[in-house]
Amino acid sequence: MTATPVCRICGGTLHEFFDFGRQPIADAFVDPAGEQEEFFHRLAVGMCTSCTMVQLLEDVPRERMFRTDYPYLSSLSSAMREHFRTTARHFLDTELRDANDLLVEFGSNDGIMLDTVHRAGRRHLGVEPSTDVAEAAAAKGIRVRNAFFEEETAADIADREGTAKVIYAANTFSHISYVDSVFRGVDALLAPDGVFVFEDPYMADIIERTSFDQIYDEHFYFFSVRSVQAMAAHHGFELVDAAPLPVHGGEIRYTVARPGVRVPSPAVGRFLEREKAARIAEPDTLARFGAHVDEVRDALRAQLERCRDQGRTVVGYGATAKSSTLTNYCGIGPDLVSFIVDSTPAKQGKLSPGSHIPVRAPEAFSRPYPDYALLFAWNHAEEIMRKENAFREQGGRWILYVPGVHTV
Ligand code: SAH
Ligand code: TYD
Ligand code: ZN
């Protein structure tokens, strides 16, 4: 008998609402010549009946995900480079008023955000456990510590550097199951009037768009304003702002401070009202989400099988981590999608995890163009479709599956 899973935030009971079955590590691309066996885990999600945090039921050991050869490079998207330039300028203009103020970012990856802070000559430190991407940032002159952000690391940084005015994390805090240690670290490192700011995919957008491919090993939590408010309060902090972001299919930037230090923005209350009206934390909504996942799976498989039966060629665009859940849950392999093109050097020449679709350089896309391109990097649709407009001009069609399966 297995024990009832409990909430990693508050200890409440988890209501499981979807099980994707056995799934590989979404960023563990397979060497076709290698002998190594792939690691699989059970990918299932539940919602806490007390604090409403949506979370995975099982976590994968962090060293299996974030390691020396972690292949994800943030800076490959020009839209994301612009997003993080704007973010850095915002901190420089608002929070980092004193010339000596320190900004610490965890999950700094290749330095996409810190680059601007560094170029402005301001005090900064990245905390990044994946060695290859940390080295890419260091090569740009950015100060990086190759470590996991948690209580010990944060306390040590506070000892060496003093407190931080801003602690920032993008698409990283929701990857960390051990939030208690992170909050103790924030408590040790954050200046009395400092802010802890993080941005991550928004559960309401995932439900609304049925973007179930956001669910994979690295994404441990799926935040909402309500669950983040509860999480912050549980750890002795206060949620003081929430702002929507258009990136990665819909995110929210949360600002957390020590209690009573900042005046909470009315945006927090507005989001809470909206989440209540949309019933995002109700079991029937989550059950409906699950039914929609299977509708998307069936519609996408039907479309790809039709293409195959009619002799049309289909290529994937963007070997995203997200597409691992999609291909493995929907049973999409090289018989339906011949190969995937991707600009990440470390992914090229490899096979997609579990589904074993070959990954090639973007140049392979036009040699010759396929009839259809399945856009796995749908969150970068605008940027990619603009760059590849010759594909459509000569008669090619994009297949998208968020929101719902459609062709453009
Ligand atoms: N901030 C970047 C990168 C997001 S990918 C962006 O938004 O594009 C998530 C990153 O978090 C990876 O580089 C991973 O190595 C890192 N990471 C995972 N756990 C971490 C932890 N405990 N502390 C710091 N970084 C972590
Ligand atoms: P992304 O959707 O950002 O993240 P995740 O892997 O977490 O789902 O990944 C985008 C992928 O698409 C990444 O492997 C790089 C690739 N890509 C291209 O090949 N061409 C492009 O123009 C862009 C923007 C991304
Ligand atoms: Zn809970």
mmCIF file of all heavy atoms in Angstrom, residues 283-323:
data_model
loop_
_atom_site.group_PDB
_atom_site.id
_atom_site.type_symbol
_atom_site.label_atom_id
_atom_site.label_comp_id
_atom_site.label_asym_id
_atom_site.label_seq_id
_atom_site.Cartn_x
_atom_site.Cartn_y
_atom_site.Cartn_z
ATOM 1 N N PRO A 283 -12.182 20.661 -8.071
ATOM 2 C CA PRO A 283 -11.938 19.335 -8.660
ATOM 3 C C PRO A 283 -12.642 19.127 -10.005
ATOM 4 O O PRO A 283 -12.073 18.491 -10.902
ATOM 5 C CB PRO A 283 -12.487 18.377 -7.598
ATOM 6 C CG PRO A 283 -12.353 19.132 -6.308
ATOM 7 C CD PRO A 283 -12.577 20.576 -6.651
ATOM 8 N N ASP A 284 -13.845 19.688 -10.184
ATOM 9 C CA ASP A 284 -14.528 19.455 -11.475
ATOM 10 C C ASP A 284 -13.799 20.162 -12.619
ATOM 11 O O ASP A 284 -13.742 19.658 -13.744
ATOM 12 C CB ASP A 284 -16.009 19.861 -11.411
ATOM 13 C CG ASP A 284 -16.211 21.325 -11.090
ATOM 14 O OD1 ASP A 284 -15.440 21.865 -10.262
ATOM 15 O OD2 ASP A 284 -17.126 21.951 -11.662
ATOM 16 N N THR A 285 -13.195 21.330 -12.344
ATOM 17 C CA THR A 285 -12.411 22.029 -13.373
ATOM 18 C C THR A 285 -11.190 21.190 -13.751
ATOM 19 O O THR A 285 -10.856 21.060 -14.937
ATOM 20 C CB THR A 285 -11.943 23.407 -12.848
ATOM 21 O OG1 THR A 285 -13.089 24.125 -12.406
ATOM 22 C CG2 THR A 285 -11.205 24.191 -13.905
ATOM 23 N N LEU A 286 -10.551 20.616 -12.745
ATOM 24 C CA LEU A 286 -9.355 19.823 -13.007
ATOM 25 C C LEU A 286 -9.709 18.528 -13.736
ATOM 26 O O LEU A 286 -8.963 18.071 -14.609
ATOM 27 C CB LEU A 286 -8.618 19.537 -11.692
ATOM 28 C CG LEU A 286 -8.142 20.809 -10.970
ATOM 29 C CD1 LEU A 286 -7.598 20.495 -9.585
ATOM 30 C CD2 LEU A 286 -7.095 21.548 -11.795
ATOM 31 N N ALA A 287 -10.866 17.966 -13.430
ATOM 32 C CA ALA A 287 -11.317 16.761 -14.131
ATOM 33 C C ALA A 287 -11.584 17.100 -15.600
ATOM 34 O O ALA A 287 -11.237 16.331 -16.511
ATOM 35 C CB ALA A 287 -12.581 16.210 -13.477
ATOM 36 N N ARG A 288 -12.172 18.279 -15.836
ATOM 37 C CA ARG A 288 -12.432 18.709 -17.208
ATOM 38 C C ARG A 288 -11.112 18.951 -17.961
ATOM 39 O O ARG A 288 -10.976 18.626 -19.131
ATOM 40 C CB ARG A 288 -13.287 19.980 -17.205
ATOM 41 C CG ARG A 288 -14.381 19.946 -18.272
ATOM 42 C CD ARG A 288 -15.384 21.090 -18.161
ATOM 43 N NE ARG A 288 -15.929 21.239 -16.832
ATOM 44 C CZ ARG A 288 -15.815 22.331 -16.063
ATOM 45 N NH1 ARG A 288 -15.151 23.384 -16.500
ATOM 46 N NH2 ARG A 288 -16.367 22.383 -14.877
ATOM 47 N N PHE A 289 -10.156 19.530 -17.258
ATOM 48 C CA PHE A 289 -8.820 19.717 -17.852
ATOM 49 C C PHE A 289 -8.291 18.357 -18.328
ATOM 50 O O PHE A 289 -7.817 18.222 -19.461
ATOM 51 C CB PHE A 289 -7.869 20.334 -16.820
ATOM 52 C CG PHE A 289 -6.410 20.295 -17.197
ATOM 53 C CD1 PHE A 289 -5.883 21.204 -18.094
ATOM 54 C CD2 PHE A 289 -5.562 19.330 -16.653
ATOM 55 C CE1 PHE A 289 -4.539 21.162 -18.452
ATOM 56 C CE2 PHE A 289 -4.215 19.273 -17.007
ATOM 57 C CZ PHE A 289 -3.708 20.194 -17.905
ATOM 58 N N GLY A 290 -8.399 17.353 -17.488
ATOM 59 C CA GLY A 290 -7.925 16.008 -17.836
ATOM 60 C C GLY A 290 -8.622 15.471 -19.080
ATOM 61 O O GLY A 290 -7.989 14.876 -19.959
ATOM 62 N N ALA A 291 -9.931 15.710 -19.177
ATOM 63 C CA ALA A 291 -10.680 15.249 -20.355
ATOM 64 C C ALA A 291 -10.193 15.982 -21.603
ATOM 65 O O ALA A 291 -10.041 15.386 -22.676
ATOM 66 C CB ALA A 291 -12.173 15.483 -20.139
ATOM 67 N N HIS A 292 -9.888 17.280 -21.452
ATOM 68 C CA HIS A 292 -9.381 18.062 -22.589
ATOM 69 C C HIS A 292 -8.005 17.560 -23.044
ATOM 70 O O HIS A 292 -7.699 17.570 -24.228
ATOM 71 C CB HIS A 292 -9.299 19.550 -22.229
ATOM 72 C CG HIS A 292 -10.654 20.189 -22.094
ATOM 73 N ND1 HIS A 292 -10.865 21.334 -21.362
ATOM 74 C CD2 HIS A 292 -11.869 19.835 -22.586
ATOM 75 C CE1 HIS A 292 -12.154 21.645 -21.410
ATOM 76 N NE2 HIS A 292 -12.777 20.754 -22.144
ATOM 77 N N VAL A 293 -7.175 17.136 -22.094
ATOM 78 C CA VAL A 293 -5.853 16.597 -22.451
ATOM 79 C C VAL A 293 -6.031 15.418 -23.412
ATOM 80 O O VAL A 293 -5.383 15.345 -24.461
ATOM 81 C CB VAL A 293 -5.074 16.140 -21.186
ATOM 82 C CG1 VAL A 293 -3.783 15.410 -21.579
ATOM 83 C CG2 VAL A 293 -4.759 17.322 -20.275
ATOM 84 N N ASP A 294 -6.949 14.530 -23.077
ATOM 85 C CA ASP A 294 -7.138 13.351 -23.930
ATOM 86 C C ASP A 294 -7.774 13.719 -25.269
ATOM 87 O O ASP A 294 -7.492 13.073 -26.291
ATOM 88 C CB ASP A 294 -7.946 12.291 -23.179
ATOM 89 C CG ASP A 294 -7.079 11.587 -22.125
ATOM 90 O OD1 ASP A 294 -5.843 11.786 -22.146
ATOM 91 O OD2 ASP A 294 -7.625 10.867 -21.273
ATOM 92 N N GLU A 295 -8.596 14.771 -25.286
ATOM 93 C CA GLU A 295 -9.148 15.238 -26.570
ATOM 94 C C GLU A 295 -8.033 15.752 -27.482
ATOM 95 O O GLU A 295 -8.012 15.463 -28.679
ATOM 96 C CB GLU A 295 -10.166 16.363 -26.339
ATOM 97 C CG GLU A 295 -11.531 15.860 -25.885
ATOM 98 C CD GLU A 295 -12.423 16.980 -25.354
ATOM 99 O OE1 GLU A 295 -12.213 18.164 -25.735
ATOM 100 O OE2 GLU A 295 -13.304 16.670 -24.536
ATOM 101 N N VAL A 296 -7.111 16.530 -26.893
ATOM 102 C CA VAL A 296 -5.986 17.050 -27.685
ATOM 103 C C VAL A 296 -5.130 15.889 -28.194
ATOM 104 O O VAL A 296 -4.753 15.843 -29.371
ATOM 105 C CB VAL A 296 -5.127 18.043 -26.850
ATOM 106 C CG1 VAL A 296 -3.825 18.391 -27.569
ATOM 107 C CG2 VAL A 296 -5.919 19.305 -26.547
ATOM 108 N N ARG A 297 -4.856 14.940 -27.295
ATOM 109 C CA ARG A 297 -4.052 13.772 -27.707
ATOM 110 C C ARG A 297 -4.701 13.066 -28.902
ATOM 111 O O ARG A 297 -4.047 12.792 -29.917
ATOM 112 C CB ARG A 297 -3.928 12.793 -26.534
ATOM 113 C CG ARG A 297 -3.192 11.502 -26.899
ATOM 114 C CD ARG A 297 -3.400 10.415 -25.872
ATOM 115 N NE ARG A 297 -4.832 10.105 -25.722
ATOM 116 C CZ ARG A 297 -5.339 9.302 -24.792
ATOM 117 N NH1 ARG A 297 -4.535 8.729 -23.916
ATOM 118 N NH2 ARG A 297 -6.640 9.080 -24.717
ATOM 119 N N ASP A 298 -6.004 12.802 -28.810
ATOM 120 C CA ASP A 298 -6.693 12.056 -29.867
ATOM 121 C C ASP A 298 -6.728 12.854 -31.174
ATOM 122 O O ASP A 298 -6.508 12.301 -32.258
ATOM 123 C CB ASP A 298 -8.117 11.692 -29.428
ATOM 124 C CG ASP A 298 -8.099 10.737 -28.227
ATOM 125 O OD1 ASP A 298 -7.017 10.166 -27.951
ATOM 126 O OD2 ASP A 298 -9.140 10.577 -27.560
ATOM 127 N N ALA A 299 -6.988 14.166 -31.073
ATOM 128 C CA ALA A 299 -7.070 15.001 -32.279
ATOM 129 C C ALA A 299 -5.698 15.118 -32.950
ATOM 130 O O ALA A 299 -5.591 15.076 -34.181
ATOM 131 C CB ALA A 299 -7.600 16.389 -31.917
ATOM 132 N N LEU A 300 -4.660 15.243 -32.142
ATOM 133 C CA LEU A 300 -3.320 15.394 -32.719
ATOM 134 C C LEU A 300 -2.871 14.094 -33.385
ATOM 135 O O LEU A 300 -2.355 14.092 -34.509
ATOM 136 C CB LEU A 300 -2.322 15.826 -31.631
ATOM 137 C CG LEU A 300 -0.908 16.122 -32.125
ATOM 138 C CD1 LEU A 300 -0.886 17.213 -33.189
ATOM 139 C CD2 LEU A 300 0.000 16.524 -30.956
ATOM 140 N N ARG A 301 -3.110 12.988 -32.691
ATOM 141 C CA ARG A 301 -2.753 11.685 -33.293
ATOM 142 C C ARG A 301 -3.500 11.483 -34.600
ATOM 143 O O ARG A 301 -2.922 11.045 -35.595
ATOM 144 C CB ARG A 301 -3.104 10.547 -32.323
ATOM 145 C CG ARG A 301 -1.987 10.187 -31.364
ATOM 146 C CD ARG A 301 -2.148 8.739 -30.900
ATOM 147 N NE ARG A 301 -1.911 7.827 -32.019
ATOM 148 C CZ ARG A 301 -0.727 7.294 -32.286
ATOM 149 N NH1 ARG A 301 0.317 7.564 -31.537
ATOM 150 N NH2 ARG A 301 -0.589 6.476 -33.317
ATOM 151 N N ALA A 302 -4.785 11.819 -34.610
ATOM 152 C CA ALA A 302 -5.600 11.635 -35.825
ATOM 153 C C ALA A 302 -5.022 12.466 -36.976
ATOM 154 O O ALA A 302 -4.887 11.983 -38.100
ATOM 155 C CB ALA A 302 -7.047 12.026 -35.543
ATOM 156 N N GLN A 303 -4.653 13.698 -36.669
ATOM 157 C CA GLN A 303 -4.095 14.580 -37.699
ATOM 158 C C GLN A 303 -2.774 14.019 -38.249
ATOM 159 O O GLN A 303 -2.548 13.990 -39.458
ATOM 160 C CB GLN A 303 -3.874 15.974 -37.104
ATOM 161 C CG GLN A 303 -2.948 16.863 -37.894
ATOM 162 C CD GLN A 303 -3.677 17.919 -38.693
ATOM 163 O OE1 GLN A 303 -4.710 18.414 -38.273
ATOM 164 N NE2 GLN A 303 -3.143 18.258 -39.842
ATOM 165 N N LEU A 304 -1.907 13.574 -37.344
ATOM 166 C CA LEU A 304 -0.597 13.069 -37.773
ATOM 167 C C LEU A 304 -0.738 11.749 -38.547
ATOM 168 O O LEU A 304 -0.014 11.502 -39.516
ATOM 169 C CB LEU A 304 0.337 12.895 -36.565
ATOM 170 C CG LEU A 304 0.723 14.192 -35.828
ATOM 171 C CD1 LEU A 304 1.542 13.884 -34.575
ATOM 172 C CD2 LEU A 304 1.489 15.140 -36.740
ATOM 173 N N GLU A 305 -1.690 10.931 -38.136
ATOM 174 C CA GLU A 305 -1.903 9.661 -38.852
ATOM 175 C C GLU A 305 -2.467 9.917 -40.251
ATOM 176 O O GLU A 305 -2.123 9.226 -41.214
ATOM 177 C CB GLU A 305 -2.830 8.740 -38.042
ATOM 178 C CG GLU A 305 -2.079 8.079 -36.887
ATOM 179 C CD GLU A 305 -2.985 7.410 -35.856
ATOM 180 O OE1 GLU A 305 -4.232 7.417 -36.047
ATOM 181 O OE2 GLU A 305 -2.451 6.913 -34.849
ATOM 182 N N ARG A 306 -3.331 10.932 -40.338
ATOM 183 C CA ARG A 306 -3.873 11.321 -41.646
ATOM 184 C C ARG A 306 -2.733 11.756 -42.572
ATOM 185 O O ARG A 306 -2.656 11.348 -43.727
ATOM 186 C CB ARG A 306 -4.869 12.470 -41.461
ATOM 187 C CG ARG A 306 -6.119 12.322 -42.298
ATOM 188 C CD ARG A 306 -7.257 13.263 -41.935
ATOM 189 N NE ARG A 306 -6.944 14.463 -41.217
ATOM 190 C CZ ARG A 306 -7.382 14.718 -39.976
ATOM 191 N NH1 ARG A 306 -8.122 13.847 -39.328
ATOM 192 N NH2 ARG A 306 -7.083 15.858 -39.392
ATOM 193 N N CYS A 307 -1.842 12.586 -42.042
ATOM 194 C CA CYS A 307 -0.690 13.048 -42.834
ATOM 195 C C CYS A 307 0.115 11.852 -43.325
ATOM 196 O O CYS A 307 0.461 11.762 -44.504
ATOM 197 C CB CYS A 307 0.214 13.950 -41.995
ATOM 198 S SG CYS A 307 -0.493 15.560 -41.647
ATOM 199 N N ARG A 308 0.407 10.940 -42.402
ATOM 200 C CA ARG A 308 1.223 9.766 -42.768
ATOM 201 C C ARG A 308 0.517 8.947 -43.855
ATOM 202 O O ARG A 308 1.131 8.566 -44.851
ATOM 203 C CB ARG A 308 1.461 8.902 -41.527
ATOM 204 C CG ARG A 308 2.319 7.671 -41.802
ATOM 205 C CD ARG A 308 2.394 6.754 -40.613
ATOM 206 N NE ARG A 308 1.062 6.331 -40.172
ATOM 207 C CZ ARG A 308 0.810 5.727 -39.009
ATOM 208 N NH1 ARG A 308 1.789 5.493 -38.155
ATOM 209 N NH2 ARG A 308 -0.419 5.379 -38.678
ATOM 210 N N ASP A 309 -0.787 8.704 -43.657
ATOM 211 C CA ASP A 309 -1.530 7.870 -44.610
ATOM 212 C C ASP A 309 -1.627 8.525 -45.985
ATOM 213 O O ASP A 309 -1.752 7.843 -47.004
ATOM 214 C CB ASP A 309 -2.925 7.541 -44.058
ATOM 215 C CG ASP A 309 -2.826 6.738 -42.766
ATOM 216 O OD1 ASP A 309 -1.712 6.221 -42.481
ATOM 217 O OD2 ASP A 309 -3.818 6.642 -42.016
ATOM 218 N N GLN A 310 -1.595 9.865 -46.017
ATOM 219 C CA GLN A 310 -1.674 10.572 -47.302
ATOM 220 C C GLN A 310 -0.284 10.853 -47.880
ATOM 221 O O GLN A 310 -0.156 11.583 -48.866
ATOM 222 C CB GLN A 310 -2.433 11.893 -47.124
ATOM 223 C CG GLN A 310 -3.908 11.693 -46.759
ATOM 224 C CD GLN A 310 -4.613 12.991 -46.388
ATOM 225 O OE1 GLN A 310 -3.974 14.040 -46.270
ATOM 226 N NE2 GLN A 310 -5.920 12.918 -46.196
ATOM 227 N N GLY A 311 0.745 10.341 -47.207
ATOM 228 C CA GLY A 311 2.105 10.522 -47.711
ATOM 229 C C GLY A 311 2.660 11.929 -47.522
ATOM 230 O O GLY A 311 3.589 12.341 -48.218
ATOM 231 N N ARG A 312 2.080 12.697 -46.601
ATOM 232 C CA ARG A 312 2.593 14.050 -46.319
ATOM 233 C C ARG A 312 3.730 13.974 -45.293
ATOM 234 O O ARG A 312 3.640 13.206 -44.340
ATOM 235 C CB ARG A 312 1.480 14.927 -45.751
ATOM 236 C CG ARG A 312 0.237 14.971 -46.595
ATOM 237 C CD ARG A 312 0.222 16.226 -47.443
ATOM 238 N NE ARG A 312 -1.084 16.421 -48.047
ATOM 239 C CZ ARG A 312 -1.339 16.211 -49.339
ATOM 240 N NH1 ARG A 312 -0.392 15.798 -50.149
ATOM 241 N NH2 ARG A 312 -2.556 16.427 -49.809
ATOM 242 N N THR A 313 4.724 14.833 -45.466
ATOM 243 C CA THR A 313 5.846 14.815 -44.525
ATOM 244 C C THR A 313 5.581 15.776 -43.365
ATOM 245 O O THR A 313 5.028 16.861 -43.551
ATOM 246 C CB THR A 313 7.153 15.231 -45.230
ATOM 247 O OG1 THR A 313 6.907 16.448 -45.947
ATOM 248 C CG2 THR A 313 7.618 14.158 -46.197
ATOM 249 N N VAL A 314 5.979 15.351 -42.157
ATOM 250 C CA VAL A 314 5.818 16.174 -40.954
ATOM 251 C C VAL A 314 7.144 16.227 -40.203
ATOM 252 O O VAL A 314 7.760 15.183 -39.942
ATOM 253 C CB VAL A 314 4.734 15.607 -39.998
ATOM 254 C CG1 VAL A 314 4.542 16.531 -38.792
ATOM 255 C CG2 VAL A 314 3.401 15.393 -40.717
ATOM 256 N N VAL A 315 7.568 17.444 -39.879
ATOM 257 C CA VAL A 315 8.795 17.644 -39.105
ATOM 258 C C VAL A 315 8.428 18.441 -37.851
ATOM 259 O O VAL A 315 7.517 19.280 -37.884
ATOM 260 C CB VAL A 315 9.837 18.387 -39.994
ATOM 261 C CG1 VAL A 315 10.897 19.076 -39.163
ATOM 262 C CG2 VAL A 315 10.468 17.428 -40.992
ATOM 263 N N GLY A 316 9.098 18.158 -36.741
ATOM 264 C CA GLY A 316 8.861 18.913 -35.505
ATOM 265 C C GLY A 316 9.727 20.158 -35.498
ATOM 266 O O GLY A 316 10.832 20.151 -36.038
ATOM 267 N N TYR A 317 9.236 21.233 -34.863
ATOM 268 C CA TYR A 317 10.055 22.450 -34.760
ATOM 269 C C TYR A 317 10.242 22.808 -33.278
ATOM 270 O O TYR A 317 9.291 23.166 -32.604
ATOM 271 C CB TYR A 317 9.403 23.619 -35.521
ATOM 272 C CG TYR A 317 10.439 24.655 -35.956
ATOM 273 C CD1 TYR A 317 10.825 24.769 -37.290
ATOM 274 C CD2 TYR A 317 11.074 25.458 -35.010
ATOM 275 C CE1 TYR A 317 11.808 25.679 -37.675
ATOM 276 C CE2 TYR A 317 12.058 26.352 -35.385
ATOM 277 C CZ TYR A 317 12.413 26.463 -36.718
ATOM 278 O OH TYR A 317 13.401 27.352 -37.089
ATOM 279 N N GLY A 318 11.504 22.698 -32.798
ATOM 280 C CA GLY A 318 11.831 23.006 -31.398
ATOM 281 C C GLY A 318 11.802 21.746 -30.540
ATOM 282 O O GLY A 318 10.723 21.242 -30.229
ATOM 283 N N ALA A 319 12.992 21.244 -30.172
ATOM 284 C CA ALA A 319 13.062 20.052 -29.319
ATOM 285 C C ALA A 319 12.927 20.504 -27.860
ATOM 286 O O ALA A 319 13.862 20.426 -27.064
ATOM 287 C CB ALA A 319 14.373 19.307 -29.552
ATOM 288 N N THR A 320 11.746 20.994 -27.536
ATOM 289 C CA THR A 320 11.493 21.544 -26.199
ATOM 290 C C THR A 320 11.396 20.429 -25.161
ATOM 291 O O THR A 320 11.063 19.286 -25.490
ATOM 292 C CB THR A 320 10.163 22.313 -26.192
ATOM 293 O OG1 THR A 320 9.127 21.410 -26.624
ATOM 294 C CG2 THR A 320 10.191 23.491 -27.151
ATOM 295 N N ALA A 321 11.625 20.811 -23.903
ATOM 296 C CA ALA A 321 11.385 19.868 -22.805
ATOM 297 C C ALA A 321 9.899 19.528 -22.760
ATOM 298 O O ALA A 321 9.511 18.380 -22.539
ATOM 299 C CB ALA A 321 11.842 20.498 -21.486
ATOM 300 N N LYS A 322 9.070 20.561 -22.993
ATOM 301 C CA LYS A 322 7.611 20.358 -23.009
ATOM 302 C C LYS A 322 7.182 19.234 -23.943
ATOM 303 O O LYS A 322 6.285 18.467 -23.636
ATOM 304 C CB LYS A 322 6.907 21.637 -23.507
ATOM 305 C CG LYS A 322 6.945 22.799 -22.580
ATOM 306 C CD LYS A 322 6.117 23.954 -23.133
ATOM 307 C CE LYS A 322 6.810 24.682 -24.264
ATOM 308 N NZ LYS A 322 8.031 25.383 -23.863
ATOM 309 N N SER A 323 7.846 19.167 -25.125
ATOM 310 C CA SER A 323 7.398 18.198 -26.127
ATOM 311 C C SER A 323 7.645 16.767 -25.679
ATOM 312 O O SER A 323 7.104 15.831 -26.270
ATOM 313 C CB SER A 323 8.068 18.468 -27.469
ATOM 314 O OG SER A 323 9.451 18.238 -27.383
#
